[in-house]
Amino acid sequence: MMKLIAPSILSANLIILEQEIKAVEAAGADWIHIDVMDGHFVPNMTYGPVIVNVLRKLTQLPLDVHLMVDNPDVIVPLFVAEGADCISVHIEACTHAHRMLQWIKDQKCQAGIALNPATPLSSIEWVIEMVDYVVVMSVNPGFAGQHFIPNTLEKIRLLRKMILDKGLSTRIQVDGGVNPKTIQSVAQAGADIMVAGSAIFGSSNYAETIHSFRKLMRDNYETI
Ligand code: DX5
Ligand code: ZN
């Protein structure tokens, strides 16, 4: 499956958001990752649905909304209404994950289920068939620029096996601490969608960074 790169605008310079979005689009980004934080589920706050409204006017790229919020059932429809293409909710925040994911699918959005680092894969066993992608958090959510948690690699491998065993084509998104040092092993473990915030927006040349990511992932393909 094609590997995708999704820059997280959490690390973008909001003063020049339009330039930042156009720059990563020109540099070859596949999705735009939008981190929504409510100050309850995670100890930080970001933006609401208005950011999707703005970004929808700036880019054709799929808008991937990562909802780090409690009560996602109240929040999800607001993001769908503004034109989100892909929406992930956390399994830890969903009382009725099955209903929530089905609703997202019914709106013709891609549905993702996200897991915090301490959350076992067994928690998504009965909903994995409904989702387009699983978000494996490789840092504790809330902030950009944290260190990749090493045992995530084993979690990705086990998830890849779970997906294969069930005969599914679910994508694996990895979020947190993805950078030139970690991306090769993340790809090798079986991830498809690489979210990167600080490693892209903190670099001086987005095209070079994204190109080097693709090279690292491709090199890695050839060695499998
Ligand atoms: C963490 C967010 C991530 C974050 C990744 O709470 O979900 O998407 O922006 O940032 P980096 O790539 O800097 O770890
Ligand atoms: Zn995220």
Side-chain angles (χ1 to χ4, degrees):
M1 209 179 316
M2 215 185 104
K3 307 246 179 198
L4 305 181
I5 295 176
S8 163
I9 59 158
L10 189 58
S11 301
N13 182 349
L14 291 186
I15 295 171
I16 50 163
L17 182 62
E18 179 171 5
Q19 279 166 251
E20 294 277 70
I21 295 299
K22 293 195 165 145
V24 285
E25 184 166 8
D30 298 296
W31 287 9
I32 299 292
H33 185 85
I34 304 164
D35 287 306
V36 175
M37 307 184 186
D38 68 349
H40 290 269
F41 183 74
V42 287
N44 198 1
M45 294 177 85
T46 54
Y47 10 71
V50 67
I51 195 82
V52 174
N53 180 290
V54 168
L55 292 176
R56 190 72 293 166
K57 294 170 184 147
L58 297 178
T59 179
Q60 297 296 315
L61 292 179
L63 300 177
D64 171 33
V65 178
H66 176 196
L67 288 178
M68 289 162 275
V69 302
D70 282 329
N71 301 321
D73 38 332
V74 179
I75 308 293
V76 164
L78 308 175
F79 285 86
V80 171
E82 298 298 351
D85 300 284
C86 316
I87 298 187
S88 61
V89 290
H90 271 261
I91 189 72
E92 305 87 357
C94 288
T95 310
H96 298 288
H98 188 281
R99 180 194 286 148
M100 180 80 271
L101 294 165
Q102 188 59 54
W103 192 85
I104 296 172
K105 298 292 295 172
D106 289 347
Q107 312 311 306
K108 308 282 177 256
C109 289
Q110 290 198 41
I113 190 79
L115 293 88
N116 283 335
T119 303
L121 293 176
S122 58
S123 64
I124 58 164
E125 195 177 347
W126 299 101
V127 291
I128 192 167
E129 281 161 40
M130 314 170 64
V131 302
D132 297 285
Y133 59 109
V134 176
V135 186
V136 177
M137 291 306 304
S138 37
V139 298
N140 288 293
F143 304 93
Q146 302 181 81
H147 288 298
F148 185 89
I149 298 171
N151 69 11
T152 310
L153 293 177
E154 183 62 7
K155 198 176 194 179
I156 299 166
R157 282 194 278 276
L158 291 170
L159 176 58
R160 177 50 66 204
K161 185 174 181 312
M162 186 195 267
I163 291 166
L164 283 174
D165 288 348
K166 288 180 184 284
L168 301 170
S169 53
T170 321
R171 282 172 153 156
I172 299 176
Q173 179 177 99
V174 175
D175 188 7
V178 174
N179 60 41
K181 290 200 179 94
T182 55
I183 197 166
Q184 196 162 20
S185 40
V186 170
Q188 187 156 32
D192 307 291
I193 309 168
M194 314 295 177
V195 175
S198 49
I200 292 176
F201 286 106
S203 72
S204 54
N205 185 324
Y206 302 164
E208 261 175 30
T209 304
I210 289 176
H211 180 75
S212 73
F213 278 6
R214 286 201 202 285
K215 197 161 176 299
L216 284 164
M217 292 190 290
R218 202 162 33 239
D219 285 351
N220 165 267
Y221 253 146
E222 285 158 8
T223 60
I224 286 175

